[in-house]
Amino acid sequence: MVVLNNLDRYQLALDAIKRIPRFNARVEAATARYWTAMERHKLYISEHGQDMPEVRDWRWNPRV
């Protein structure tokens, strides 16, 4: 349960956006968007006992 352990892509994206100066104007909107996604994910976990399929089944695609 990567979201519950703060190891998910949402948390990583937030960390990056907060630390890269050129994204300063996007921090507030991104924070709201990612926190909403994380809360939705936590609700899914509490109901189903596992990560959402979009997180659980995600695979790195280096060709993108």
Side-chain angles (χ1 to χ4, degrees):
M1 313 241 188
V2 294
V3 171
L4 295 178
N5 293 319
N6 290 327
L7 299 171
D8 59 279
R9 63 180 129 171
Y10 307 117
Q11 192 64 50
L12 294 173
L14 275 175
D15 288 346
I17 290 168
K18 289 177 182 177
R19 288 174 172 75
I20 298 173
R22 70 178 179 188
F23 293 138
N24 282 345
R26 300 181 189 180
V27 170
E28 188 174 330
T31 300
R33 183 173 64 246
Y34 292 133
W35 276 109
T36 299
M38 287 186 282
E39 290 303 314
R40 183 173 54 95
H41 194 108
K42 288 177 185 179
L43 290 172
Y44 184 93
I45 291 169
S46 67
E47 184 175 332
H48 299 279
Q50 62 182 350
D51 288 318
M52 294 173 60
E54 66 190 61
V55 173
R56 184 182 65 240
D57 300 335
W58 182 84
R59 298 288 180 258
W60 172 256
N61 184 355
R63 295 181 183 161
V64 174

